[in-house]
Coordinates of all heavy atoms in Angstrom, one line a residue:
A1 N 40.8 -69.7 185.0 CA 41.4 -68.8 185.9 C 42.6 -69.5 186.7 O 43.6 -69.0 186.8 CB 40.4 -68.3 187.0
V30 N 83.0 -62.7 191.4 CA 83.7 -61.6 192.1 C 84.6 -62.1 193.2 O 85.7 -61.7 193.4 CB 82.7 -60.6 192.7 CG1 83.3 -59.5 193.5 CG2 81.9 -59.9 191.6
Y44 N 81.2 -73.4 191.5 CA 80.1 -72.8 190.9 C 78.8 -73.7 190.9 O 77.8 -73.3 191.3 CB 80.5 -72.3 189.5 CG 81.4 -71.1 189.5 CD1 82.8 -71.5 189.3 CD2 81.1 -69.8 189.6 CE1 83.7 -70.4 189.3 CE2 82.0 -68.8 189.6 CZ 83.3 -69.1 189.4 OH 84.2 -68.1 189.4
L53 N 68.3 -76.8 195.9 CA 67.7 -77.7 196.9 C 67.1 -77.0 198.0 O 66.0 -77.3 198.5 CB 68.7 -78.8 197.3 CG 69.3 -79.8 196.3 CD1 70.4 -80.6 196.8 CD2 68.1 -80.6 195.7
S59 N 60.2 -73.2 199.2 CA 59.0 -72.9 198.4 C 57.8 -73.7 198.8 O 56.7 -73.2 198.9 CB 59.3 -73.2 196.9 OG 60.4 -72.4 196.4
V66 N 66.7 -68.2 199.3 CA 68.1 -67.8 199.6 C 68.8 -67.7 198.2 O 68.4 -68.3 197.2 CB 68.9 -68.8 200.4 CG1 68.2 -69.0 201.7 CG2 68.9 -70.2 199.6
S69 N 74.8 -63.5 197.8 CA 74.7 -62.1 198.4 C 75.8 -61.2 197.9 O 76.9 -61.4 197.9 CB 74.9 -62.2 200.0 OG 76.1 -62.9 200.3
I83 N 96.0 -56.5 203.0 CA 96.1 -55.7 201.8 C 97.3 -54.7 202.0 O 97.6 -54.2 203.0 CB 94.8 -54.7 201.7 CG1 93.6 -55.7 201.6 CG2 94.9 -53.8 200.6 CD1 92.3 -55.0 201.7
L132 N 68.6 -47.7 208.6 CA 68.9 -48.9 207.7 C 69.3 -48.4 206.3 O 70.1 -48.9 205.6 CB 67.7 -49.8 207.7 CG 67.3 -50.5 209.0 CD1 66.1 -51.3 208.9 CD2 68.5 -51.3 209.6
L135 N 72.7 -47.2 206.2 CA 73.7 -48.3 206.1 C 73.9 -48.7 204.7 O 74.9 -48.9 204.3 CB 73.2 -49.5 207.0 CG 74.0 -50.7 207.0 CD1 75.5 -50.5 207.5 CD2 73.4 -51.8 207.8
E159 N 91.6 -33.5 184.0 CA 92.5 -33.1 183.0 C 93.3 -34.4 182.4 O 93.8 -35.2 183.2 CB 93.4 -32.1 183.5 CG 94.4 -31.5 182.4 CD 93.8 -30.8 181.3 OE1 92.7 -30.1 181.6 OE2 94.2 -30.8 180.2
Y163 N 95.6 -37.9 184.2 CA 95.0 -39.3 184.3 C 95.9 -40.3 185.0 O 97.1 -40.2 184.8 CB 94.7 -39.8 182.9 CG 93.5 -39.4 182.2 CD1 92.7 -38.3 182.8 CD2 93.0 -39.9 181.0 CE1 91.6 -37.9 182.2 CE2 91.9 -39.4 180.4 CZ 91.1 -38.4 181.0 OH 90.0 -38.0 180.4
P165 N 97.8 -43.9 186.0 CA 98.4 -44.8 185.1 C 97.6 -46.1 185.0 O 98.1 -47.3 185.4 CB 99.8 -45.1 185.7 CG 99.6 -44.8 187.1 CD 98.6 -43.8 187.2
I176 N 87.1 -42.8 173.0 CA 86.5 -44.1 173.1 C 86.2 -44.4 174.6 O 85.2 -45.1 174.8 CB 87.5 -45.2 172.6 CG1 87.8 -44.9 171.1 CG2 86.9 -46.6 172.6 CD1 86.5 -44.9 170.2
C179 N 83.0 -42.6 175.4 CA 81.9 -43.2 174.7 C 81.5 -44.5 175.4 O 80.3 -44.7 175.6 CB 82.3 -43.5 173.2 SG 81.0 -44.4 172.2
T181 N 81.9 -45.3 178.5 CA 81.2 -44.8 179.8 C 79.8 -44.3 179.5 O 78.9 -44.7 180.3 CB 82.1 -43.7 180.4 OG1 83.5 -44.2 180.6 CG2 81.5 -43.3 181.7
G197 N 60.9 -49.0 189.2 CA 59.6 -48.6 188.5 C 58.5 -48.9 189.6 O 58.7 -49.8 190.5
Y201 N 55.3 -55.8 188.4 CA 55.5 -56.7 187.3 C 56.7 -56.3 186.5 O 57.5 -57.2 186.0 CB 54.3 -56.9 186.4 CG 53.2 -57.6 187.1 CD1 52.0 -56.8 187.6 CD2 53.0 -58.9 187.3 CE1 51.0 -57.4 188.3 CE2 52.0 -59.5 188.0 CZ 51.0 -58.8 188.5 OH 49.9 -59.3 189.1
F205 N 60.9 -58.3 185.8 CA 61.7 -58.5 184.6 C 63.1 -58.1 184.8 O 63.8 -57.9 183.8 CB 61.0 -57.8 183.4 CG 59.8 -58.6 182.9 CD1 58.5 -58.3 183.4 CD2 60.0 -59.6 182.0 CE1 57.4 -59.0 182.9 CE2 58.9 -60.3 181.5 CZ 57.6 -60.0 182.0
F206 N 63.5 -57.7 186.0 CA 64.9 -57.3 186.2 C 65.9 -58.4 185.7 O 66.8 -58.0 185.0 CB 65.1 -57.0 187.7 CG 66.5 -56.9 188.1 CD1 67.2 -55.7 187.9 CD2 67.2 -57.9 188.8 CE1 68.5 -55.5 188.3 CE2 68.5 -57.8 189.2 CZ 69.2 -56.5 188.9
I211 N 70.0 -60.2 181.5 CA 70.3 -61.1 180.4 C 70.5 -60.4 179.1 O 71.3 -60.7 178.3 CB 69.4 -62.3 180.4 CG1 69.5 -63.1 181.6 CG2 69.6 -63.1 179.1 CD1 68.5 -64.3 181.7
R217 N 76.3 -56.4 174.8 CA 77.8 -56.4 174.9 C 78.4 -57.2 173.7 O 79.4 -56.7 173.1 CB 78.2 -57.0 176.2 CG 79.7 -57.3 176.4 CD 80.6 -56.1 176.2 NE 82.0 -56.3 176.3 CZ 82.7 -56.7 175.3 NH1 82.1 -56.9 174.0 NH2 84.0 -57.1 175.4

Side-chain angles (χ1 to χ4, degrees):
V30 172
Y44 293 94
L53 293 176
S59 300
V66 299
S69 57
I83 301 175
L132 299 178
L135 174 62
E159 180 68 30
Y163 279 10
I176 301 299
C179 177
T181 303
Y201 295 101
F205 282 95
F206 168 79
I211 293 177
R217 168 61 181 85

